[in-house]
């Protein structure tokens, strides 16, 4: 598996460490980019990745970005039950 592929384990680690990163908003953008480019090991985790990006942006008071990521997350979930 290429290094740039993000697994669900990676998402869990990013959730724990993103806010301590030098550029948390860059982490959020990288997550959104991974979804866009199909670099998720489990494609059905796109909603989770985008939700995490939205959470990071919201915590960093980038509400416009948080809303964009959240909108994309809602569309990425396969069913409304998710």
């Amino acid at each position: 598996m290429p290094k740039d592929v993000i697994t669900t384990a990676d998402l869990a680690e990013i959730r724990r460490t993103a806010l301590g990163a030098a550029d948390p908003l860059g982490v959020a953008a990288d997550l959104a980019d991974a979804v866009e480019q199909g670099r998720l090991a489990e494609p059905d985790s796109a909603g989770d990745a985008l939700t995490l990006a939205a959470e990071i942006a919201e915590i960093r008071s980038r509400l416009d970005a948080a809303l964009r990521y959240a909108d994309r997350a809602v569309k990425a979930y396969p069913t409304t039950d998710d």
Side-chain angles (χ1 to χ4, degrees), residues 51-80:
T51 297
L52 177 55
E55 291 170 4
I56 293 167
E58 191 258 338
I59 289 169
R60 300 299 293 178
S61 298
R62 298 298 174 106
L63 302 183
D64 57 333
L67 183 57
R68 281 193 310 273
Y69 294 141
D71 284 342
R72 288 179 60 194
V74 169
K75 293 174 186 167
Y77 284 107
T79 68
T80 56

Side-chain angles (χ1 to χ4, degrees), residues 5 7 15 20 24 30 32 40 44 57 60 62 66 74 78-80 82:
V5 171
T7 66
R15 185 174 298 284
D30 288 344
L40 297 176
D44 59 343
R60 300 299 293 178
R62 298 298 174 106
V74 169
T79 68
T80 56
D82 292 335

